[in-house]
Amino acid sequence: MAALRIQIHPTTHKTHSHQKTYTPLISCSIQQPPQTNIKVVINGAAKEIGMAAVLAVTKSRGMELAGAVDSHLVGQDIGKVCGMEEALEIPIINDLTMVLGSISQSKATSVVVDFTDPSTVYDNVKQATAFGMNSVVYVPRIKPETIAALSGFCEKASMGCLVAPTLSIGSILLQQAAISASFHYNNVEIVESKANTGAFPSQDSVQIANNLSNLGQLYNRDDLETDLPARGQRLGEDGIRVHSLVLPGLVSSTSVHFSGPGEVYSIKHDITSVECLMPGLILAIRKVVRLKNLVYGLEKFL
């Protein structure tokens, strides 16, 4: 709460009769309370994205790294693990409860960033909520029933949680552009590429297909029922197909191709480094502290 400070300064005036008079001057100033940093705990800190998050948080105004949790590299200083010149004096600990209990004593605004696994997300968010902390969750392929259970839990606890299928602002812009284009074209194909094998189709492709399927359109009518493997995997019942390409040396890429009479419209997004997720993560941390419920999708804040 701001405090109002009033100071009275007497001043002296001489009159023509050489008598002195005193007139008080009153000045007012509002003293703002000192701004405290958001304390951030990275759960999954030893992962590539976790280490990038550590660097991003330490460089961001208004927040500070308060804890690093992981089952790997336990006991090592997270600053040194991330290649920083000076140690942060924050060891990696394989005990989320211990870290949260220690930080909660400061009564500061705190956020837990979860990069772990779909099977542990629900318990992690419950623990964070029990200690009065909000959560940012970036864990691909969380089951819908888990999200629904988390939503109900956060609603009852009046605590914020942001579940982000992607933290890439470019990916979100691609999805929004695809939605706009879908009203003007009847044919659409998604092509994704990666350097390494993994879960296909990717979370981004699935999200794009879900967004377009929810619009009530029917795509690719000419070969809607084609089951040829070369035509790609059909996602949903609206005819949207995805093709996955894996070659060493490729960047992670997602492109959406639309076509109409006499034209093809293509939009594409490439990810060359995990650093592209950090602006979205910092935005998510700043926004989640104001929430009292679960929000699905970073796009709600763009």
Side-chain angles (χ1 to χ4, degrees):
M1 181 180 295
L4 180 65
R5 181 181 180 185
I6 301 177
Q7 291 182 316
I8 301 177
H9 308 278
T11 59
T12 303
H13 300 281
K14 291 185 179 181
T15 64
H16 65 278
S17 60
H18 303 291
Q19 293 180 341
K20 295 181 179 180
T21 61
Y22 296 90
T23 304
L25 290 180
I26 301 176
S27 62
C28 301
S29 62
I30 297 179
Q31 294 179 322
Q32 296 291 346
Q35 297 295 323
T36 58
N37 289 340
I38 302 172
K39 293 185 179 294
V40 181
V41 177
I42 306 296
N43 193 3
K47 296 183 177 182
E48 180 185 10
I49 188 173
M51 291 187 286
V54 168
L55 295 175
V57 168
T58 56
K59 294 177 182 177
S60 299
R61 294 181 59 185
M63 61 184 66
E64 63 181 273
L65 186 70
V69 180
D70 208 296
S71 59
H72 297 88
L73 306 179
V74 175
Q76 296 189 36
D77 184 90
I78 188 60
K80 289 297 185 180
V81 169
C82 295
M84 301 177 69
E85 293 183 1
E86 297 184 4
L88 292 176
E89 298 184 358
I90 299 176
I92 299 176
I93 298 177
N94 188 21
D95 190 331
L96 179 61
T97 303
M98 179 186 298
V99 174
L100 299 184
S102 175
I103 297 171
S104 66
Q105 297 178 8
S106 67
K107 305 298 183 182
T109 301
S110 304
V111 173
V112 180
V113 178
D114 197 323
F115 295 132
T116 58
D117 184 84
S119 63
T120 62
V121 165
Y122 184 79
D123 290 336
N124 293 342
V125 174
K126 282 188 67 175
Q127 284 196 65
T129 301
F131 285 101
M133 302 180 190
N134 294 345
S135 298
V136 172
V137 177
Y138 177 66
V139 178
R141 302 185 183 279
I142 302 178
K143 295 180 179 180
E145 51 266 32
T146 301
I147 296 174
L150 279 175
S151 179
F153 177 77
C154 292
E155 189 78 29
K156 291 180 180 178
S158 296
M159 293 297 295
C161 177
L162 174 58
V163 178
T166 181
L167 289 171
S168 167
I169 294 176
S171 178
I172 294 172
L173 295 177
L174 175 73
Q175 294 175 25
Q176 293 174 342
I179 291 173
S180 298
S182 68
F183 292 105
H184 306 283
Y185 298 99
N186 294 323
N187 299 285
V188 58
E189 305 267 337
I190 302 171
V191 179
E192 60 182 9
S193 64
K194 287 186 178 182
N196 304 304
T197 58
F200 289 105
S202 67
Q203 179 69 35
D204 285 345
S205 294
V206 172
Q207 186 66 47
I208 293 170
N210 289 341
N211 290 343
L212 301 186
S213 296
N214 291 334
L215 302 177
Q217 301 273 69
L218 191 62
Y219 308 94
N220 307 322
R221 293 173 183 267
D222 292 341
D223 64 348
L224 187 63
E225 301 300 328
T226 299
D227 293 326
L228 294 175
R231 283 294 293 116
Q233 179 181 345
R234 194 171 72 181
L235 299 180
E237 302 299 324
D238 299 329
I240 302 171
R241 296 181 184 272
V242 60
H243 308 264
S244 301
L245 179 63
V246 179
L247 282 174
L250 289 178
V251 298
S252 179
S253 176
T254 304
S255 56
V256 188
H257 304 276
F258 296 89
S259 73
E263 68 173 341
V264 174
Y265 174 64
S266 299
I267 50 179
K268 182 180 181 182
H269 177 243
D270 295 337
I271 292 179
T272 59
S273 168
V274 72
E275 293 179 3
C276 75
L277 306 178
M278 295 305 107
L281 174 64
I282 298 304
L283 174 64
I285 293 172
R286 297 192 192 283
K287 295 297 185 179
V288 77
V289 296
R290 303 178 183 179
L291 297 180
K292 298 296 183 183
N293 60 334
L294 183 143
V295 171
Y296 185 82
L298 182 63
E299 64 272 12
K300 306 295 193 305
F301 301 107
L302 294 183

